[in-house]
Amino acid sequence: VRFQHYPTTGGSSRGVALLIHGFGGNAEHWRKNAPSLAAAGFEVYAIDLLGYGFSSKPDPRTTLPLTLDPSMPERFYNIHMWAEQQAAFLQEVCGVGPGKRHESALVITNSIGSSVGLQLAVEFPHLVKAAFLLDPSLRMLHVKNQAPWEKPFVPAVQWVLRETSLGDWFFGAVAKPQTVQTILRVIYPAKPEAVDDELVDCILKPGLSSPNATRVFMDFISYSAGPLIQDQLASLGRDQGRAAVWIGWGTADPWEPIEAGRKLYGDLKAVERFQELPLLGHCPMDEAPEVVNPYLLEFLETFA
């Protein structure tokens, strides 16, 4: 597993902050945030989920799942597996847990990483004190979210992409600098200029570091099961002695509309704050760190 560690830059540590990226991302997506959090006295760890960035990319077709998702046991890459990865990382690398340097950690996430961070809090409640979700994935292709007419169509398309050479062609067409740049500029609506060559290289270079990259990509986009965020949030919250949750959402996110998120999550007890991020898109921490970093610092200060 590859990670980046930003040690506190002065004085004693005020706690551990774990940063979890979204689909197709990696630890580099937090490069504009982590230094500010470390400067405030926190030990910051940005991790590459297994299968992403420079972490190992086991072939999902030939490797037995490390952790089974009962709702779709044939998928190697799933929310439960990644949650267990984070728990092991917190305990073995970050020194978090009973009898260790830090009792619990604060978790900051983006996109599908939010499902991972929340599952970590659900399955390992002693390790997570609070979580801050940035534009969490609504998972509209999840079987519970599919319209009746989509139910036969979606798995058929997913099978074709995962099991045939069409998936290789599709990945090859997407995993090109110009294509990645075009996609990212759509989800960086306020500051498309932030999608520069550095960002594109940060996304593409680690992602293509293994011959299994295509199969990893196809395995997860054909994963339409696992926990939904509203169900995870229902079992969290300080009233249940579990992690508190903040949510930040770009109002111009074209992939995960803020109003859908507000309707699903805004009134749940676990959600102590639902913060609009005006004009920003799906990855607000990278698009406008000058806007988002103060909220991240406020979150850490609140729960440290």
PDB file of all heavy atoms in Angstrom, residues 118-130:
ATOM      1  N   LEU A 118     -17.039   5.972   5.771  1.00  0.00           N
ATOM      2  CA  LEU A 118     -18.187   5.693   6.633  1.00  0.00           C
ATOM      3  C   LEU A 118     -18.245   4.226   7.028  1.00  0.00           C
ATOM      4  O   LEU A 118     -18.594   3.894   8.172  1.00  0.00           O
ATOM      5  CB  LEU A 118     -19.486   6.104   5.936  1.00  0.00           C
ATOM      6  CG  LEU A 118     -19.728   7.601   5.782  1.00  0.00           C
ATOM      7  CD1 LEU A 118     -21.079   7.850   5.124  1.00  0.00           C
ATOM      8  CD2 LEU A 118     -19.661   8.321   7.123  1.00  0.00           C
ATOM      9  N   GLN A 119     -17.909   3.326   6.092  1.00  0.00           N
ATOM     10  CA  GLN A 119     -17.910   1.901   6.447  1.00  0.00           C
ATOM     11  C   GLN A 119     -16.839   1.604   7.485  1.00  0.00           C
ATOM     12  O   GLN A 119     -17.024   0.753   8.363  1.00  0.00           O
ATOM     13  CB  GLN A 119     -17.715   1.045   5.196  1.00  0.00           C
ATOM     14  CG  GLN A 119     -18.055  -0.423   5.405  1.00  0.00           C
ATOM     15  CD  GLN A 119     -19.511  -0.646   5.780  1.00  0.00           C
ATOM     16  OE1 GLN A 119     -20.378   0.162   5.454  1.00  0.00           O
ATOM     17  NE2 GLN A 119     -19.789  -1.738   6.468  1.00  0.00           N
ATOM     18  N   LEU A 120     -15.728   2.313   7.391  1.00  0.00           N
ATOM     19  CA  LEU A 120     -14.696   2.215   8.422  1.00  0.00           C
ATOM     20  C   LEU A 120     -15.276   2.595   9.783  1.00  0.00           C
ATOM     21  O   LEU A 120     -15.057   1.899  10.789  1.00  0.00           O
ATOM     22  CB  LEU A 120     -13.527   3.128   8.055  1.00  0.00           C
ATOM     23  CG  LEU A 120     -12.445   3.361   9.099  1.00  0.00           C
ATOM     24  CD1 LEU A 120     -11.676   2.074   9.377  1.00  0.00           C
ATOM     25  CD2 LEU A 120     -11.481   4.467   8.631  1.00  0.00           C
ATOM     26  N   ALA A 121     -16.043   3.683   9.819  1.00  0.00           N
ATOM     27  CA  ALA A 121     -16.644   4.137  11.071  1.00  0.00           C
ATOM     28  C   ALA A 121     -17.719   3.176  11.571  1.00  0.00           C
ATOM     29  O   ALA A 121     -17.921   3.027  12.779  1.00  0.00           O
ATOM     30  CB  ALA A 121     -17.232   5.530  10.885  1.00  0.00           C
ATOM     31  N   VAL A 122     -18.426   2.527  10.649  1.00  0.00           N
ATOM     32  CA  VAL A 122     -19.480   1.580  11.023  1.00  0.00           C
ATOM     33  C   VAL A 122     -18.879   0.289  11.582  1.00  0.00           C
ATOM     34  O   VAL A 122     -19.300  -0.207  12.638  1.00  0.00           O
ATOM     35  CB  VAL A 122     -20.380   1.265   9.807  1.00  0.00           C
ATOM     36  CG1 VAL A 122     -21.306   0.082  10.103  1.00  0.00           C
ATOM     37  CG2 VAL A 122     -21.200   2.480   9.423  1.00  0.00           C
ATOM     38  N   GLU A 123     -17.895  -0.267  10.889  1.00  0.00           N
ATOM     39  CA  GLU A 123     -17.331  -1.556  11.273  1.00  0.00           C
ATOM     40  C   GLU A 123     -16.284  -1.454  12.376  1.00  0.00           C
ATOM     41  O   GLU A 123     -16.074  -2.414  13.134  1.00  0.00           O
ATOM     42  CB  GLU A 123     -16.710  -2.246  10.058  1.00  0.00           C
ATOM     43  CG  GLU A 123     -17.713  -2.647   8.981  1.00  0.00           C
ATOM     44  CD  GLU A 123     -17.074  -3.455   7.864  1.00  0.00           C
ATOM     45  OE1 GLU A 123     -16.037  -4.124   8.118  1.00  0.00           O
ATOM     46  OE2 GLU A 123     -17.594  -3.420   6.734  1.00  0.00           O
ATOM     47  N   PHE A 124     -15.612  -0.303  12.464  1.00  0.00           N
ATOM     48  CA  PHE A 124     -14.552  -0.111  13.458  1.00  0.00           C
ATOM     49  C   PHE A 124     -14.792   1.202  14.192  1.00  0.00           C
ATOM     50  O   PHE A 124     -13.992   2.144  14.079  1.00  0.00           O
ATOM     51  CB  PHE A 124     -13.182  -0.108  12.765  1.00  0.00           C
ATOM     52  CG  PHE A 124     -12.917  -1.333  11.932  1.00  0.00           C
ATOM     53  CD1 PHE A 124     -13.249  -1.354  10.573  1.00  0.00           C
ATOM     54  CD2 PHE A 124     -12.358  -2.471  12.494  1.00  0.00           C
ATOM     55  CE1 PHE A 124     -13.020  -2.490   9.805  1.00  0.00           C
ATOM     56  CE2 PHE A 124     -12.117  -3.601  11.719  1.00  0.00           C
ATOM     57  CZ  PHE A 124     -12.462  -3.622  10.371  1.00  0.00           C
ATOM     58  N   PRO A 125     -15.882   1.283  14.940  1.00  0.00           N
ATOM     59  CA  PRO A 125     -16.279   2.569  15.545  1.00  0.00           C
ATOM     60  C   PRO A 125     -15.250   3.138  16.510  1.00  0.00           C
ATOM     61  O   PRO A 125     -15.191   4.360  16.691  1.00  0.00           O
ATOM     62  CB  PRO A 125     -17.591   2.224  16.259  1.00  0.00           C
ATOM     63  CG  PRO A 125     -17.564   0.740  16.446  1.00  0.00           C
ATOM     64  CD  PRO A 125     -16.825   0.205  15.265  1.00  0.00           C
ATOM     65  N   HIS A 126     -14.424   2.282  17.099  1.00  0.00           N
ATOM     66  CA  HIS A 126     -13.420   2.771  18.046  1.00  0.00           C
ATOM     67  C   HIS A 126     -12.276   3.505  17.357  1.00  0.00           C
ATOM     68  O   HIS A 126     -11.508   4.207  18.022  1.00  0.00           O
ATOM     69  CB  HIS A 126     -12.854   1.606  18.854  1.00  0.00           C
ATOM     70  CG  HIS A 126     -12.202   0.540  18.022  1.00  0.00           C
ATOM     71  ND1 HIS A 126     -12.913  -0.286  17.183  1.00  0.00           N
ATOM     72  CD2 HIS A 126     -10.886   0.181  17.886  1.00  0.00           C
ATOM     73  CE1 HIS A 126     -12.084  -1.117  16.577  1.00  0.00           C
ATOM     74  NE2 HIS A 126     -10.856  -0.845  16.960  1.00  0.00           N
ATOM     75  N   LEU A 127     -12.176   3.383  16.032  1.00  0.00           N
ATOM     76  CA  LEU A 127     -11.063   3.995  15.312  1.00  0.00           C
ATOM     77  C   LEU A 127     -11.385   5.365  14.733  1.00  0.00           C
ATOM     78  O   LEU A 127     -10.471   6.096  14.351  1.00  0.00           O
ATOM     79  CB  LEU A 127     -10.599   3.071  14.172  1.00  0.00           C
ATOM     80  CG  LEU A 127     -10.008   1.715  14.557  1.00  0.00           C
ATOM     81  CD1 LEU A 127      -9.624   0.942  13.308  1.00  0.00           C
ATOM     82  CD2 LEU A 127      -8.806   1.881  15.487  1.00  0.00           C
ATOM     83  N   VAL A 128     -12.667   5.711  14.632  1.00  0.00           N
ATOM     84  CA  VAL A 128     -13.064   6.956  13.956  1.00  0.00           C
ATOM     85  C   VAL A 128     -13.889   7.825  14.889  1.00  0.00           C
ATOM     86  O   VAL A 128     -14.971   7.435  15.332  1.00  0.00           O
ATOM     87  CB  VAL A 128     -13.882   6.658  12.677  1.00  0.00           C
ATOM     88  CG1 VAL A 128     -14.242   7.967  11.973  1.00  0.00           C
ATOM     89  CG2 VAL A 128     -13.108   5.746  11.743  1.00  0.00           C
ATOM     90  N   LYS A 129     -13.376   9.023  15.144  1.00  0.00           N
ATOM     91  CA  LYS A 129     -14.091   9.961  16.009  1.00  0.00           C
ATOM     92  C   LYS A 129     -15.094  10.783  15.208  1.00  0.00           C
ATOM     93  O   LYS A 129     -16.192  11.094  15.684  1.00  0.00           O
ATOM     94  CB  LYS A 129     -13.102  10.887  16.720  1.00  0.00           C
ATOM     95  CG  LYS A 129     -13.752  11.770  17.776  1.00  0.00           C
ATOM     96  CD  LYS A 129     -12.695  12.544  18.549  1.00  0.00           C
ATOM     97  CE  LYS A 129     -13.332  13.347  19.683  1.00  0.00           C
ATOM     98  NZ  LYS A 129     -12.317  14.120  20.433  1.00  0.00           N
ATOM     99  N   ALA A 130     -14.729  11.168  13.983  1.00  0.00           N
ATOM    100  CA  ALA A 130     -15.614  11.977  13.140  1.00  0.00           C
ATOM    101  C   ALA A 130     -15.135  11.874  11.700  1.00  0.00           C
ATOM    102  O   ALA A 130     -13.977  11.558  11.431  1.00  0.00           O
ATOM    103  CB  ALA A 130     -15.627  13.438  13.592  1.00  0.00           C
TER     104      ALA A 130
END
